[in-house]
Amino acid sequence: MNPLIFPMPGNEAFAEALAGHLFGEVGGFETRKFPDEETYLRLLRDPSGRDVVIVCTLDRPDPKIAPLIFAADAARSLGATRVGLVAPYLSYLRQDRRFQLGEAISSASFARLLSASFDWLVTVDPHLHRYGSLDEIYALRSRVVPAAKRLSEWIAGNVKDPILIGPDSESEQWVSDVAKRAGAPSQVLQKERRGDLDVRISLPDAKLLHGRTPVLLDDIISSARTMIAAAHHLLSLGCPPPVCLATHGIIAADSLALLTKVAGQVVTTNTIPNPVSQIDISPDVALAISALLAEPAV
Ligand code: R5P
């Protein structure tokens, strides 16, 4: 039977797109807060004997966690064959070690929590820095969907003579792949983050930029301070305002307004709904789900 897809609040459009690709059905929840702020949740479709897919992108994660766990556990206890999580953006990966004595390693705690309630996980380009793969912390089957193909297609269709610029060494993994696919040159800068909103970036090589449209590419735009610092350098070198492209547009607070002042264009994929999430990654996510569902249930 085709999967039953439940969107957590805010994930309806992505879930509908997945249902279209997978010939799945979309289920719903009744959810509200009790007067004491605890969560009430009820599945409005019977998951018994079905493969259940819960869609919940995990930016701004803390208020989403309790309802998500309740939904997964309810589906399982009501007889779902398997319960999978599609988290197009997977949070809590940055704190992957103790930088100062006493700190929580939230990535490992978060992984343990999700692994206890789900059979499998599909996500898009997780921010793996010091972890080699999700398997180091997640005890479930997982598939990682790369955004490189969609990003490079967007560049090829929208940017004349691009040069890709990664703002820090971590972005190298995405930038080189996307540049190769788009047939464009690239360079990677160095970043020093002195505080949440205080970012210093090394100067790009002006010779490589000549006659090209700069495309700043990163996995995440959050405060946008990384892209803004890099864009200032490009403008100071006489480049046209850069195209700012990212897989995950978290777009915190005033970041889009600030970035728009120095960017020619800002575009992200739709892993997180935001005003510039134009690039649809749902067909690739659907393929990853199909592959997981084709495997025998454990
Ligand atoms: C950092 O490690 C990431 O790859 C991004 O560069 C970072 O998350 C961007 O953050 P912000 O938009 O807050 O500068």
Side-chain angles (χ1 to χ4, degrees):
M1 204 183 295
N2 291 335
L4 184 52
I5 303 173
F6 286 95
M8 296 306 288
N11 294 269
E12 292 80 4
F14 206 92
E16 288 288 348
L18 291 179
H21 301 308
L22 296 166
F23 304 102
E25 290 172 76
V26 177
F29 299 115
E30 179 187 342
T31 180
R32 63 184 170 84
K33 292 282 184 200
F34 289 111
D36 58 6
E37 293 290 313
E38 291 184 4
T39 295
Y40 169 89
L41 185 137
R42 182 164 79 98
L43 274 62
L44 297 176
R45 290 290 293 270
D46 178 10
S48 170
R50 306 286 301 269
D51 264 310
V52 165
V53 179
I54 300 183
V55 184
C56 187
T57 200
L58 286 169
D59 61 308
R60 302 160 177 90
D62 293 8
K64 298 178 177 177
I65 297 310
L68 179 62
I69 300 295
F70 298 162
D73 290 353
R76 188 181 305 285
S77 61
L78 288 165
T81 314
R82 289 177 289 197
V83 184
L85 171 62
V86 172
Y89 174 68
L90 183 62
S91 50
Y92 279 123
L93 281 166
R94 285 198 181 96
Q95 190 78 27
D96 54 7
R97 66 170 200 198
R98 242 184 278 287
F99 301 94
Q100 294 189 60
L101 196 65
E103 284 179 345
I105 304 178
S106 47
S107 53
S109 304
F110 194 60
R112 207 161 37 242
L113 190 65
L114 294 182
S115 300
S117 288
F118 289 94
D119 296 299
W120 54 259
L121 164 70
V122 171
T123 189
V124 179
D125 285 342
H127 186 86
L128 295 174
H129 186 189
R130 279 161 286 259
Y131 293 125
S133 79
L134 290 176
D135 294 344
E136 284 186 36
I137 46 173
Y138 278 82
L140 41 64
R141 284 181 301 146
S142 63
R143 291 277 165 123
V144 166
V145 176
K149 176 171 167 280
R150 301 282 163 192
L151 294 170
S152 58
E153 284 170 0
W154 186 89
I155 293 169
N158 292 277
V159 186
K160 192 167 176 294
D161 298 327
I163 175 165
L164 270 68
I165 299 161
D168 57 26
S169 54
E170 286 167 50
S171 66
E172 213 271 328
Q173 50 187 312
W174 296 286
V175 170
S176 57
D177 189 10
V178 174
K180 207 182 304 163
R181 288 167 183 268
S186 65
Q187 59 175 303
V188 172
L189 310 179
Q190 296 305 315
K191 175 166 84 177
E192 185 194 352
R193 185 153 222 142
R194 299 184 173 184
D196 288 346
L197 301 180
D198 185 2
V199 174
R200 313 283 160 102
I201 303 266
S202 63
L203 210 59
D205 181 343
K207 287 194 298 295
L208 297 175
L209 298 167
H210 186 68
R212 297 260 172 194
T213 309
V215 178
L216 282 167
L217 176 65
D218 207 350
D219 61 334
I220 298 172
I221 299 175
S222 180
S223 71
R225 293 318 192 270
T226 300
M227 289 237 172
I228 290 169
H232 276 303
H233 280 333
L234 292 165
L235 295 175
S236 74
L237 292 172
C239 295
V243 174
C244 293
L245 196 56
T247 304
H248 307 292
I250 297 177
I251 312 283
D254 57 353
S255 59
L256 187 57
L258 294 173
L259 183 55
T260 306
K261 287 184 186 164
V262 290
Q265 199 175 357
V266 184
V267 176
T268 73
T269 78
N270 61 347
T271 60
I272 301 168
N274 71 59
V276 293
S277 51
Q278 287 176 25
I279 303 173
D280 183 17
I281 194 99
S282 67
D284 308 294
V285 173
L287 276 178
I289 298 170
S290 290
L292 275 166
L293 294 184
E295 293 175 9
V298 178

